[in-house]
Amino acid sequence: MIENINWYPGHMKKTRELIEQNLKLIDCVIEVIDARIPLSSRNPIIDKLVQSKTKIVLLNKIDLADSNQTKRWVNHFTSKGHYSIAVDSATGTIKKLMELLEEIQEEKNSQRDKKKKLRIMVVGVPNVGKSTLINRLTGKKSTRTGNKPGVTRGKQWLTLTNGMQLLDTPGILWHKFEDNQLGLNLAFCGSIRDEILPLDELALALLNQIKGDYLDAIINRYSLDIEYMKKNMEDKQFELDIELDDLTFNDVEAIDLMEAIAKKRGCIMSGGRIDYERVSKIIIDEFRSGKLERITLETV
C-alpha cells in the first residue's frame, strides 16, 4: 500500500516566496481547487499567506466531478464566508466569475479615493487547471498548459479582457502531508508526478476508494460480470481471511476488479499473466479524463 506520499520540489519554495512578496500589490486572490477533491486540493499554506485578502474559492474541472457533490461544496464554502463559484474552465462558461470580479472591483473602488482596475492573484496546487482558467480570462493562450504538474514556472503579469491585471503563479504543494489519504487524492487527480509513485498500487487504491459509491460506473465502463465476481469473492473469503492478515476484504475486491478489467481490456501477457502496469494506466487515465463517470472523491 502506498504510504508517506511527499513531493516538494525546490521551485515550490520559490513560489511561496513569490506569493508573499507580491501579495501587497493584490486586491483579490482566486484559489483554484479541483472539484473532485475540494479539501485535498486546498493548500493550508495559502490561507496563511493570503490572510485577510478578498478570496474566491473556485471549484474547477466540474465536468469531471459529481454535480450533486459540487453544489454541496459550493454551499459549504459560501457558508464559511468565502466567495465560491464552480466552473469548467476548459470548455464551460466563466461569465459568473467575470461578473463576480466586476462586483469585487466596484466594492474596492468604493473604498478608494482613486478608481483603478482590480489586481488578481491566481493560486492553487499543481494541475488544478489554473493556466487553462487564465487563458479563458485573458481571451488568449497566455500561459502554458499541460496535464502534468509543474508546467507554469515563473511569475507572469497578464491583462484580462476587461482590463483587470492578473498575476499567475506556479502550483504550490506543501512539504509534508499529515494525512496519507490527502496525498493519495492528489495523486489520483494528477497533482503529484506519476513517476514517483507505483502506478499499480495507485490504481488499486483508487478502485478501492471509488467502488463504494461508484461501483456501477466501474461495472458499466468495463462491462464486468458482477454476479460472477461476487460468487468468486464468496468462494475465496474464508481462505483470504485466514491467510492474508494484512489485506482487507475490500482490498481483495479491488484486486479482483482490476484483474477483471485487465481481462476485458486485453491486458494479458504471455502465460496468461495480468499486465498490471498497462491496466493500471488505463484505470488512472480513464478516471482522470472522466470516462468512468463524473466522480467526486470527497463529500462535505
Side-chain angles (χ1 to χ4, degrees):
M1 191 65 181
I2 300 175
E3 295 181 356
N4 301 321
I5 297 174
N6 283 296
W7 185 58
Y8 192 78
H11 79 266
M12 291 192 180
K13 180 177 181 294
K14 294 179 182 178
T15 299
R16 176 172 181 162
E17 293 170 352
L18 184 152
I19 292 172
E20 290 174 327
Q21 292 165 5
N22 290 277
L23 201 59
K24 60 182 178 293
L25 306 174
I26 300 300
D27 301 306
C28 173
V29 174
I30 299 178
E31 181 185 6
V32 184
I33 63 177
D34 190 320
R36 296 168 295 179
I37 49 170
L39 287 182
S40 296
S41 58
R42 290 200 75 203
N43 188 335
I45 294 172
I46 290 173
D47 269 342
K48 294 177 182 178
L49 291 178
V50 303
Q51 299 177 6
S52 59
K53 292 286 182 179
T54 300
K55 185 170 69 174
I56 300 171
V57 178
L58 188 142
L59 288 85
N60 198 19
K61 301 191 178 184
I62 60 171
D63 56 313
L64 304 177
D66 186 320
S67 57
N68 290 325
Q69 292 298 333
T70 297
K71 291 175 184 176
R72 293 189 179 102
W73 277 112
V74 169
N75 291 336
H76 169 77
F77 290 123
T78 301
S79 72
K80 297 295 182 182
H82 300 298
Y83 290 108
S84 184
I85 196 165
V87 303
D88 164 17
S89 63
T91 60
T93 177
I94 58 168
K95 182 180 178 182
K96 287 185 178 179
L97 175 60
M98 297 299 287
E99 290 174 348
L100 177 55
L101 291 173
E102 294 284 357
E103 289 176 16
I104 293 172
Q105 177 172 274
E106 288 181 13
E107 181 182 347
K108 295 289 182 184
N109 281 337
S110 68
Q111 302 165 3
R112 296 167 171 155
D113 295 331
K114 184 179 179 181
K115 292 183 179 181
K116 64 178 184 178
K117 292 293 184 180
L118 200 68
R119 282 196 159 188
I120 307 157
M121 179 184 288
V122 176
V123 298
V125 305
N127 211 37
V128 290
K130 296 188 303 299
S131 294
T132 303
L133 173 68
I134 290 167
N135 290 340
R136 293 293 305 281
L137 288 170
T138 57
K140 56 185 177 180
K141 192 168 184 179
S142 306
T143 65
R144 291 177 293 168
T145 62
N147 58 6
K148 288 189 176 183
V151 172
T152 304
R153 290 292 182 183
K155 167 182 169 181
Q156 299 183 81
W157 277 105
L158 305 167
T159 303
L160 275 61
T161 53
N162 59 7
M164 294 179 183
Q165 296 293 305
L166 184 148
L167 178 63
D168 181 21
T169 62
I172 177 173
L173 285 174
W174 49 113
H175 184 63
K176 184 177 180 181
F177 304 134
E178 299 298 334
D179 181 355
N180 198 58
Q181 186 58 53
L182 185 152
L184 279 173
N185 288 341
L186 288 166
F188 293 150
C189 295
S191 290
I192 297 173
R193 289 190 182 276
D194 290 335
E195 291 82 356
I196 71 166
L197 301 168
L199 203 62
D200 55 344
E201 292 185 29
L202 187 65
L204 185 63
L206 175 62
L207 284 176
N208 194 51
Q209 183 163 335
I210 66 176
K211 65 184 175 57
D213 292 329
Y214 300 100
L215 181 59
D216 287 346
I218 299 170
I219 294 167
N220 294 335
R221 176 65 186 171
Y222 301 108
S223 303
L224 304 182
D225 186 342
I226 194 63
E227 292 305 319
Y228 170 81
M229 293 183 65
K230 284 180 179 177
K231 181 65 170 62
N232 191 37
M233 286 303 305
E234 289 169 4
D235 292 343
K236 293 196 300 182
Q237 184 178 3
F238 180 75
E239 174 189 349
L240 290 168
D241 285 344
I242 295 297
E243 295 185 2
L244 299 177
D245 296 331
D246 61 338
L247 201 61
T248 68
F249 184 72
N250 283 340
D251 287 330
V252 176
E253 190 176 359
I255 290 172
D256 281 2
L257 281 170
M258 180 181 282
E259 292 181 350
I261 294 168
K263 291 172 183 176
K264 282 289 185 178
R265 288 298 180 92
C267 301
I268 308 296
M269 299 186 291
S270 60
R273 294 174 297 132
I274 301 292
D275 188 339
Y276 286 104
E277 182 176 353
R278 187 178 163 202
V279 71
S280 296
K281 191 173 188 308
I282 288 172
I283 292 166
I284 295 292
D285 287 349
E286 295 198 351
F287 163 74
R288 289 177 181 170
S289 63
K291 291 178 181 177
L292 264 176
E293 192 174 279
R294 294 172 64 166
I295 293 174
T296 297
L297 298 178
E298 295 175 324
T299 57
V300 176

